Amino acid sequence: MAVYILSNRKIIRHKGERVDSFSNDEYSIPSFRIAKCNFDGYKEPTAAAKKKKDYTNRNILNYQLFSEPQKQGYQDVLDVLLNEKGIKESSLTANHLGGTQRMFYELYKNMSSTKDRSDVLIFIHGYAYDFDDELKAILDLKKLFIDNTESPVEHILFVSWPASSNVVPLTYFDDKAASINSGASLMRLFYFYTQFLKDIFSNRDLIPCNQRIHIAAHSMGNRVLQSMLYSLKKENILRVIDQVLLLNSDVSYKVFEDQETSFNKLPLLANRISIYLNRKDLILGISQFTKNILTPRLGKNGPSNIEPYKDIVSVIDCTFVEDDLLNTFKFEAGNHWGYLSSSSVQNDIFQNLYGVDRNLIANRLKNNENIFTIVS
C-alpha cells in the first residue's frame, strides 16, 4: 500500500523544521513535486486535537518529499531493476532514484509482486481546498479505497493543486486559472509515465504487472483533467488508463463534442468512462448560474452528445441515492459529494473499478444503452 502526493504547490520550510513541506499558498509552480505519505504509527486525532491551531500540515499526516532526479529519463530505474534481478550489475540502488523515477519504481515493484488486484487510483480534487484540506481528504480516500475490502485499489496518487482556501465567489475564477496551470503540469507527468513504460518494457527481462490504473476527478478537478487533455496531442496518447470516473463534474456539458477539444480525447486514453451526476447538485447549480454564463454543468445535466462514444462512456444518475454515510447539512443540501456520502454510489464505483460489465452492475436501472440510474 502506498499513497503519493503529486503537487505543484510552493515548497517551504516551516520554522524549527529540517524538512521541506508543501505550502498552503494559493499559486502554483511550473512543475510537480512528489511526496510519499507515511502512515506508520498514525493515530486518528481526537476532536480536541483537531481544534488546535497546530493541527496543520504534518500534524495531520506525515509525508516525505522525494529528491529531484539527478538526470532525466528512466535508464537508472532500468539498471536498478535489472541489478535486483541479477541480470546486470550496477552500483545504483533505489535510494539513488528521485521524483517520478522513485515513484514509478516503487509502484512497479509493489504491483508486480502480487497476483491479487493492486490497482492505482489517480485522484484530482475540486474547488476550495488548501493543502491541509487535501491531507484530510487523503485520509478519507485511504479509508474509502484502500482500507475497504470491496475496493481493488491499493495505491493512490493524489493530485494536489493550489485551489483557494475559501469559497468566496471571486476565488472560483482564481481556481479556474490554477486548474489550467496544473493541467499543463499533469500533462508533463503523463508524458513521463509513457516514457517510463517505453524505457522499462523495451527490455524483455521485465514484464508488465498487468494491474490497472484509474483516474477519478471531482468537481473542478475535471478542469485540471480538461487542461491536461487539451494539451495532449492525439497521436501521443496511449490507452494506459482502465476506468475514468467523472464525479459531479464542473465543466461544460458540451465537453465531449468535437468543437470542445478536450474530453473527446478521453476514449483514446481509457477503456471506460463513467459520468456520475446528480440533478439536484446545488454546488453545480450555483456554478452554472453565477460563474459560467448559464452553461449547464456536466455533473448536473449530463453530456449534450456522446453518441460517438456510447460504447465507452456511461452516464450514471445518482439523483435518488441516500446520503447514508455522511448526512450533515453540507452533504444533504449540496448533493455534490456522493462518492463520500452514499454507500450506493461507492458500491457502484467499486464495481466499475473491478471492470464489471456496465449492464451487470448491481442496483442500477437501465434507462437506455448507456444511461443508468442508481437505485438504493
Side-chain angles (χ1 to χ4, degrees), residues 237-277:
I237 298 177
L238 300 177
R239 183 169 279 124
V240 293
I241 302 298
D242 185 31
Q243 308 288 330
V244 174
L245 311 176
L246 307 178
L247 308 171
N248 301 80
S249 306
D250 191 4
V251 293
S252 166
Y253 74 129
K254 293 184 177 181
V255 286
F256 283 95
E257 295 187 10
D258 288 340
Q259 64 267 31
E260 295 279 351
T261 54
S262 54
F263 277 26
N264 55 15
K265 297 177 185 176
L266 268 182
L268 301 175
L269 181 70
N271 292 326
R272 189 160 77 184
I273 301 147
S274 299
I275 302 168
Y276 285 83
L277 62 85

Side-chain angles (χ1 to χ4, degrees), residues 2-6 34-35 103-104 107 111 119-124 138 141 146 153 155-160 189 193 213-214 216:
V3 177
Y4 300 90
I5 302 171
L6 285 65
I34 299 173
M103 181 177 70
F104 293 156
L107 286 172
M111 295 168 73
D119 292 3
V120 173
L121 177 68
I122 302 170
F123 188 90
I124 311 173
I138 288 172
L141 292 171
I146 296 178
V153 172
H155 315 284
I156 292 174
L157 274 57
F158 186 89
V159 179
S160 157
L189 184 74
Y193 175 59
I213 299 176
H214 315 289

Side-chain angles (χ1 to χ4, degrees), residues 165-176:
S165 58
N166 60 66
V167 294
V168 175
L170 287 178
T171 66
Y172 181 93
F173 300 102
D174 295 333
D175 281 5
K176 287 177 69 173

Side-chain angles (χ1 to χ4, degrees), residues 61-207:
L61 176 62
N62 191 25
Y63 59 92
Q64 181 66 48
L65 270 80
F66 286 161
S67 62
E68 290 288 84
Q70 295 183 358
K71 61 182 181 181
Q72 297 300 314
Y74 299 97
Q75 181 62 46
D76 286 354
V77 181
L78 181 59
D79 289 347
V80 170
L81 290 171
L82 293 178
N83 180 58
E84 291 175 348
K85 283 181 169 287
I87 298 171
K88 176 183 177 180
E89 289 189 6
S90 174
S91 60
L92 295 176
T93 68
N95 291 330
H96 293 95
L97 305 176
T100 58
Q101 295 173 347
R102 183 63 180 263
M103 181 177 70
F104 293 156
Y105 162 83
E106 291 184 357
L107 286 172
Y108 173 70
K109 291 282 288 186
N110 288 331
M111 295 168 73
S112 59
S113 64
T114 178
K115 293 182 180 179
D116 297 328
R117 287 291 291 269
S118 180
D119 292 3
V120 173
L121 177 68
I122 302 170
F123 188 90
I124 311 173
H125 70 79
Y127 167 52
Y129 277 69
D130 63 20
F131 185 65
D132 291 343
D133 293 329
E134 292 174 351
L135 291 176
K136 295 169 188 175
I138 288 172
L139 294 172
D140 291 336
L141 292 171
K142 177 179 178 292
K143 291 178 183 176
L144 172 57
F145 288 106
I146 296 178
D147 299 342
N148 193 329
T149 57
E150 299 298 318
S151 167
V153 172
E154 192 174 1
H155 315 284
I156 292 174
L157 274 57
F158 186 89
V159 179
S160 157
W161 59 281
S164 303
S165 58
N166 60 66
V167 294
V168 175
L170 287 178
T171 66
Y172 181 93
F173 300 102
D174 295 333
D175 281 5
K176 287 177 69 173
S179 69
I180 293 172
N181 295 335
S182 301
S185 298
L186 193 61
M187 176 203 66
R188 289 192 290 273
L189 184 74
F190 172 80
Y191 282 135
F192 288 154
Y193 175 59
T194 55
Q195 188 62 49
F196 169 80
L197 295 178
K198 293 175 182 177
D199 289 352
I200 299 303
F201 299 125
S202 61
N203 188 294
R204 295 182 179 181
D205 293 308
L206 297 173
I207 59 175

Side-chain angles (χ1 to χ4, degrees), residues 183-184 186-187 215 222-234 237 246 261-267 269:
L186 193 61
M187 176 203 66
I215 295 177
N222 284 261
R223 288 184 180 271
V224 177
L225 180 60
Q226 182 181 29
S227 177
M228 184 196 87
L229 292 166
Y230 183 83
S231 303
L232 285 177
K233 295 182 179 179
K234 287 186 176 182
I237 298 177
L246 307 178
T261 54
S262 54
F263 277 26
N264 55 15
K265 297 177 185 176
L266 268 182
L269 181 70

Side-chain angles (χ1 to χ4, degrees), residues 291-307:
K291 305 175 182 70
N292 287 289
I293 318 177
L294 302 182
T295 304
R297 315 317 289 158
L298 179 67
K300 178 178 172 65
N301 300 86
S304 59
N305 179 26
I306 52 173
E307 182 66 23

